[in-house]
């Protein structure tokens, strides 16, 4: 299939007319029309309904469009792998991460990353739900959880220690828990459907049953409730660091156990032909996480 013909179809769909597509691709309108006609002849279907001013996709065109866009994207990735842009990587990078990690970590490193790669566009999907990255067409997913799907390719970027936190107001009212057993007397803010928290006790794991009057499917909602004195919750250190520094939250070390830590993973849909833009983003994120860890260590030692 001629990629130049496919490019005309994709650009015409994006701009809404063959004339506009021709301008974007540096073609005369007749050449763009011929390329689209050649593509339709090769496929044996009509992809668009043409008028003098605009065009509309046929049912076949709508079905073919995602594949056409993927072909253009793959061609751009292939060229970038062989001839990287002097200004960095280019194209559209599709990412997904949890809401708090996307806002607090990716959002922090993204401006410098975009400035270093002016030909790159980023589409970031933030959700606490588990995304099927293959079906969603994602280049990279950042996950902070045990990985269960063995068909995906994952790279460990950093540790993600977790701690128990509460507000000073809550602790003034309910007291400071000292041991695991003390949590039974406290309001524990848990994710919807969760009944236990996992703690490392020596070289073994202990699952402790916890409960409270408030639960949510959103870490952000639990975080907010914790700040407002509703109870104790479990957060990643990177998620709570600003609140601890500002005095809004207090970390709660326990004498006989600590929350099990997780890891931050970059997950690719496949090991084959990972786009240079995805590799470069993951390297930039890994470097950013290492810098944050180094800064945190210096503060702790100070």
């Amino acid at each position: 299939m001629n990629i130049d013909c496919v490019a005309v179809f994709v650009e015409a769909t994006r701009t809404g007319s063959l004339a506009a597509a021709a301008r974007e691709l540096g073609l005369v309108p007749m050449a763009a029309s011929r390329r689209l006609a050649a593509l339709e002849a090769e496929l044996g279907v009509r992809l668009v309904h043409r008028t003098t001013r605009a065009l509309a996709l046929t049912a076949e065109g709508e079905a073919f469009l995602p594949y056409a866009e993927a072909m253009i994207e793959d061609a751009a990735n292939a060229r970038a792998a062989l001839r990287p842009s002097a200004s960095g990587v280019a194209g559209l990078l599709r990412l997904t991460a949890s809401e708090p990690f996307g806002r607090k970590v990716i959002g922090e490193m993204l401006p410098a990353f975009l400035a270093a790669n002016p030909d790159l566009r980023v589409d970031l999907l933030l959700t606490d739900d588990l995304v099927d990255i293959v079906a969603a067409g994602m280049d990279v997913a950042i996950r902070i959880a045990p990985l269960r799907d063995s068909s995906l390719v994952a790279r460990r970027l950093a540790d993600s220690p977790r701690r128990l936190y509460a507000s000073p107001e809550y602790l003034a009212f309910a007291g400071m828990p000292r041991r695991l057993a003390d949590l039974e007397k406290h309001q524990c803010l848990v994710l919807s459907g969760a009944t236990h928290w996992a703690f490392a006790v020596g070289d073994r794991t202990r699952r402790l049953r916890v409960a409270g009057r408030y639960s949510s499917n959103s870490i952000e909602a639990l975080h907010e409730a914790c700040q407002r004195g509703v109870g104790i919750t479990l957060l990643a250190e990177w998620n709570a660091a600003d609140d601890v520094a500002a005095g809004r939250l207090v970390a709660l070390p326990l004498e006989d156990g600590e929350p099990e830590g997780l890891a931050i993973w970059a997950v690719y849909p496949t090991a084959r032909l990972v786009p240079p833009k995805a590799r470069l983003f993951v390297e930039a994120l890994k470097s950013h996480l290492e810098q944050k860890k180094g800064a945190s260590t210096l503060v702790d030692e100070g």
Side-chain angles (χ1 to χ4, degrees):
M1 195 174 297
N2 189 320
I3 196 69
D4 293 331
C5 297
V6 176
V8 169
F9 168 66
V10 171
E11 196 62 32
T13 301
R14 187 183 72 83
T15 59
S17 75
L18 271 173
R23 286 194 299 271
E24 290 291 328
L25 297 172
L27 301 172
V28 297
M30 183 60 70
S33 180
R34 286 174 178 169
R35 289 185 182 182
L36 180 58
L39 178 63
E40 290 178 323
E42 181 175 0
L43 294 174
V45 295
R46 181 176 290 276
L47 297 173
V48 297
H49 297 297
R50 301 173 182 80
T51 68
T52 55
R53 295 185 178 180
L55 57 81
L57 289 175
T58 63
E60 292 78 9
E62 290 180 355
F64 179 64
L65 181 59
Y67 299 97
E69 291 173 331
M71 291 172 64
I72 299 301
E73 186 75 11
D74 287 344
N77 290 337
R79 295 188 187 98
L82 297 175
R83 298 188 299 275
S85 167
S87 59
V89 293
L92 175 63
L93 176 63
R94 300 179 181 90
L95 309 171
T96 184
S98 70
E99 184 82 27
F101 190 85
R103 289 195 307 105
K104 295 188 176 180
V105 180
I106 296 178
E108 186 177 59
M109 58 83 65
L110 203 57
F113 180 70
L114 289 173
N117 299 277
D119 295 327
L120 183 71
R121 295 176 293 124
V122 172
D123 181 28
L124 176 59
L125 171 64
L126 297 183
T127 175
D128 291 333
D129 295 332
L130 190 62
V131 175
D132 183 339
I133 63 174
V134 176
M138 294 293 164
D139 296 303
V140 185
I142 303 302
R143 291 183 176 168
I144 309 173
L147 300 182
R148 298 183 177 86
D149 190 342
S150 60
S151 68
L152 302 176
V153 180
R155 178 184 175 187
R156 187 186 179 109
L157 301 183
D159 292 331
S160 183
R162 297 185 297 169
R163 299 285 180 264
L164 295 176
Y165 295 93
S167 70
E169 294 77 12
Y170 175 83
L171 295 175
F173 167 75
M176 175 81 74
R178 303 293 181 184
R179 302 180 62 83
L180 289 172
D182 295 341
L183 292 176
E184 297 178 2
K185 308 169 189 174
H186 284 270
Q187 292 294 321
C188 296
L189 310 177
V190 299
L191 288 169
S192 300
T195 56
H196 293 75
W197 282 338
F199 291 87
V201 180
D203 59 355
R204 63 187 181 87
T205 297
R206 177 180 172 186
R207 284 173 49 80
L208 182 72
R209 189 172 187 86
V210 292
R213 297 173 58 204
Y214 179 59
S215 62
S216 173
N217 69 330
S218 166
I219 289 291
E220 293 281 75
L222 298 180
H223 192 159
E224 178 74 16
C226 186
Q227 288 185 50
R228 295 183 180 277
V230 178
I232 295 172
T233 199
L234 188 60
L235 297 170
E237 284 186 347
W238 54 261
N239 198 359
D242 291 344
D243 295 310
V244 171
R248 293 185 293 268
L249 290 179
V250 177
L252 309 177
L254 300 177
E255 297 172 359
D256 55 346
E258 61 181 24
E260 275 198 327
L262 298 174
I264 301 171
W265 299 86
V267 183
Y268 304 108
T270 175
R272 292 184 61 251
L273 302 176
V274 175
K277 60 190 177 184
R279 293 187 187 278
L280 193 63
F281 169 79
V282 169
E283 288 298 332
L285 178 57
K286 187 174 190 301
S287 177
H288 180 72
L289 291 169
E290 289 171 350
Q291 291 172 7
K292 286 179 70 70
K293 181 180 179 182
S296 174
T297 301
L298 289 175
V299 170
D300 292 342
E301 291 177 351

